[in-house]
mmCIF file of all heavy atoms in Angstrom:
data_model
loop_
_atom_site.group_PDB
_atom_site.id
_atom_site.type_symbol
_atom_site.label_atom_id
_atom_site.label_comp_id
_atom_site.label_asym_id
_atom_site.label_seq_id
_atom_site.Cartn_x
_atom_site.Cartn_y
_atom_site.Cartn_z
ATOM 1 N N SER L 30 -20.206 -49.269 -21.688
ATOM 2 C CA SER L 30 -19.510 -50.036 -20.706
ATOM 3 C C SER L 30 -20.175 -49.821 -19.344
ATOM 4 O O SER L 30 -19.517 -50.311 -18.342
ATOM 5 C CB SER L 30 -18.063 -49.612 -20.634
ATOM 6 O OG SER L 30 -17.936 -48.243 -20.136
ATOM 7 N N LEU L 31 -21.226 -49.124 -19.187
ATOM 8 C CA LEU L 31 -21.833 -48.837 -17.956
ATOM 9 C C LEU L 31 -23.350 -49.247 -17.884
ATOM 10 O O LEU L 31 -23.960 -49.229 -18.996
ATOM 11 C CB LEU L 31 -21.698 -47.307 -17.703
ATOM 12 C CG LEU L 31 -20.342 -46.711 -17.575
ATOM 13 C CD1 LEU L 31 -20.460 -45.224 -17.553
ATOM 14 C CD2 LEU L 31 -19.670 -47.176 -16.307
ATOM 15 N N PRO L 32 -23.865 -49.460 -16.701
ATOM 16 C CA PRO L 32 -25.322 -49.449 -16.585
ATOM 17 C C PRO L 32 -25.849 -48.093 -17.020
ATOM 18 O O PRO L 32 -25.094 -47.104 -17.164
ATOM 19 C CB PRO L 32 -25.601 -49.663 -15.132
ATOM 20 C CG PRO L 32 -24.265 -50.167 -14.567
ATOM 21 C CD PRO L 32 -23.212 -49.580 -15.441
ATOM 22 N N PRO L 33 -27.223 -47.903 -17.208
ATOM 23 C CA PRO L 33 -27.727 -46.645 -17.517
ATOM 24 C C PRO L 33 -27.233 -45.509 -16.615
ATOM 25 O O PRO L 33 -27.118 -45.751 -15.407
ATOM 26 C CB PRO L 33 -29.220 -46.874 -17.436
ATOM 27 C CG PRO L 33 -29.462 -48.319 -17.624
ATOM 28 C CD PRO L 33 -28.256 -48.991 -17.071
ATOM 29 N N LEU L 34 -27.008 -44.375 -17.152
ATOM 30 C CA LEU L 34 -26.632 -43.233 -16.318
ATOM 31 C C LEU L 34 -27.793 -42.299 -16.024
ATOM 32 O O LEU L 34 -28.578 -42.053 -16.876
ATOM 33 C CB LEU L 34 -25.506 -42.418 -17.119
ATOM 34 C CG LEU L 34 -24.190 -43.132 -17.402
ATOM 35 C CD1 LEU L 34 -23.309 -42.247 -18.172
ATOM 36 C CD2 LEU L 34 -23.548 -43.690 -16.277
ATOM 37 N N CYS L 35 -27.881 -41.829 -14.737
ATOM 38 C CA CYS L 35 -28.944 -40.937 -14.363
ATOM 39 C C CYS L 35 -28.203 -39.728 -13.826
ATOM 40 O O CYS L 35 -27.319 -39.831 -13.084
ATOM 41 C CB CYS L 35 -29.855 -41.561 -13.372
ATOM 42 S SG CYS L 35 -30.848 -42.983 -13.932
ATOM 43 N N LEU L 36 -28.720 -38.552 -14.206
ATOM 44 C CA LEU L 36 -28.162 -37.356 -13.632
ATOM 45 C C LEU L 36 -28.913 -36.921 -12.339
ATOM 46 O O LEU L 36 -30.141 -36.837 -12.361
ATOM 47 C CB LEU L 36 -28.422 -36.189 -14.667
ATOM 48 C CG LEU L 36 -27.780 -34.857 -14.360
ATOM 49 C CD1 LEU L 36 -26.215 -34.987 -14.239
ATOM 50 C CD2 LEU L 36 -28.074 -33.864 -15.505
ATOM 51 N N SER L 37 -28.150 -36.822 -11.270
ATOM 52 C CA SER L 37 -28.815 -36.335 -10.082
ATOM 53 C C SER L 37 -29.352 -34.972 -10.085
ATOM 54 O O SER L 37 -28.675 -34.165 -10.785
ATOM 55 C CB SER L 37 -27.722 -36.462 -8.858
ATOM 56 O OG SER L 37 -27.399 -37.774 -8.663
ATOM 57 N N ARG L 38 -30.399 -34.771 -9.455
ATOM 58 C CA ARG L 38 -31.049 -33.417 -9.461
ATOM 59 C C ARG L 38 -30.309 -32.511 -8.575
ATOM 60 O O ARG L 38 -29.613 -32.839 -7.623
ATOM 61 C CB ARG L 38 -32.516 -33.550 -9.048
ATOM 62 C CG ARG L 38 -33.308 -34.354 -10.032
ATOM 63 C CD ARG L 38 -34.765 -34.237 -9.648
ATOM 64 N NE ARG L 38 -35.575 -35.163 -10.541
ATOM 65 C CZ ARG L 38 -36.349 -36.078 -10.123
ATOM 66 N NH1 ARG L 38 -36.648 -36.163 -8.854
ATOM 67 N NH2 ARG L 38 -36.959 -36.830 -10.950
ATOM 68 N N ASP L 39 -30.451 -31.165 -8.822
ATOM 69 C CA ASP L 39 -29.846 -30.156 -7.978
ATOM 70 C C ASP L 39 -30.359 -30.236 -6.591
ATOM 71 O O ASP L 39 -31.562 -30.253 -6.297
ATOM 72 C CB ASP L 39 -30.182 -28.790 -8.625
ATOM 73 C CG ASP L 39 -29.622 -27.628 -7.854
ATOM 74 O OD1 ASP L 39 -28.548 -27.770 -7.164
ATOM 75 O OD2 ASP L 39 -30.167 -26.512 -7.936
ATOM 76 N N THR L 40 -29.446 -30.191 -5.616
ATOM 77 C CA THR L 40 -29.819 -30.258 -4.168
ATOM 78 C C THR L 40 -29.475 -29.009 -3.445
ATOM 79 O O THR L 40 -29.331 -29.005 -2.238
ATOM 80 C CB THR L 40 -29.211 -31.509 -3.514
ATOM 81 O OG1 THR L 40 -27.850 -31.443 -3.669
ATOM 82 C CG2 THR L 40 -29.782 -32.829 -4.106
ATOM 83 N N SER L 41 -29.097 -27.974 -4.192
ATOM 84 C CA SER L 41 -28.520 -26.748 -3.467
ATOM 85 C C SER L 41 -29.501 -26.117 -2.571
ATOM 86 O O SER L 41 -29.078 -25.347 -1.707
ATOM 87 C CB SER L 41 -28.070 -25.749 -4.548
ATOM 88 O OG SER L 41 -29.088 -25.323 -5.388
ATOM 89 N N ARG L 42 -30.817 -26.393 -2.741
ATOM 90 C CA ARG L 42 -31.812 -25.792 -1.846
ATOM 91 C C ARG L 42 -31.763 -26.310 -0.393
ATOM 92 O O ARG L 42 -32.271 -25.785 0.535
ATOM 93 C CB ARG L 42 -33.136 -25.852 -2.434
ATOM 94 C CG ARG L 42 -33.764 -27.323 -2.335
ATOM 95 C CD ARG L 42 -35.217 -27.281 -2.949
ATOM 96 N NE ARG L 42 -35.874 -28.485 -2.742
ATOM 97 C CZ ARG L 42 -35.980 -29.549 -3.499
ATOM 98 N NH1 ARG L 42 -35.335 -29.474 -4.635
ATOM 99 N NH2 ARG L 42 -36.664 -30.552 -3.149
ATOM 100 N N PHE L 43 -31.123 -27.492 -0.198
ATOM 101 C CA PHE L 43 -31.081 -28.157 1.052
ATOM 102 C C PHE L 43 -29.854 -27.673 1.850
ATOM 103 O O PHE L 43 -28.807 -27.539 1.338
ATOM 104 C CB PHE L 43 -31.031 -29.592 0.955
ATOM 105 C CG PHE L 43 -32.292 -30.221 0.227
ATOM 106 C CD1 PHE L 43 -32.168 -30.640 -1.070
ATOM 107 C CD2 PHE L 43 -33.434 -30.427 0.907
ATOM 108 C CE1 PHE L 43 -33.255 -31.170 -1.674
ATOM 109 C CE2 PHE L 43 -34.563 -30.925 0.274
ATOM 110 C CZ PHE L 43 -34.437 -31.334 -0.962
ATOM 111 N N ARG L 44 -30.070 -27.354 3.123
ATOM 112 C CA ARG L 44 -28.936 -26.970 4.006
ATOM 113 C C ARG L 44 -28.119 -28.214 4.405
ATOM 114 O O ARG L 44 -28.576 -29.299 4.511
ATOM 115 C CB ARG L 44 -29.495 -26.361 5.364
ATOM 116 C CG ARG L 44 -30.130 -25.037 5.184
ATOM 117 C CD ARG L 44 -30.468 -24.396 6.454
ATOM 118 N NE ARG L 44 -31.315 -25.304 7.355
ATOM 119 C CZ ARG L 44 -31.386 -25.199 8.619
ATOM 120 N NH1 ARG L 44 -30.703 -24.297 9.328
ATOM 121 N NH2 ARG L 44 -32.171 -25.977 9.294
#
Side-chain angles (χ1 to χ4, degrees):
S30 67
L31 299 170
L34 301 178
C35 293
L36 185 62
S37 292
R38 295 188 187 130
D39 179 25
T40 58
S41 61
R42 73 178 192 266
F43 298 103
R44 291 187 304 157

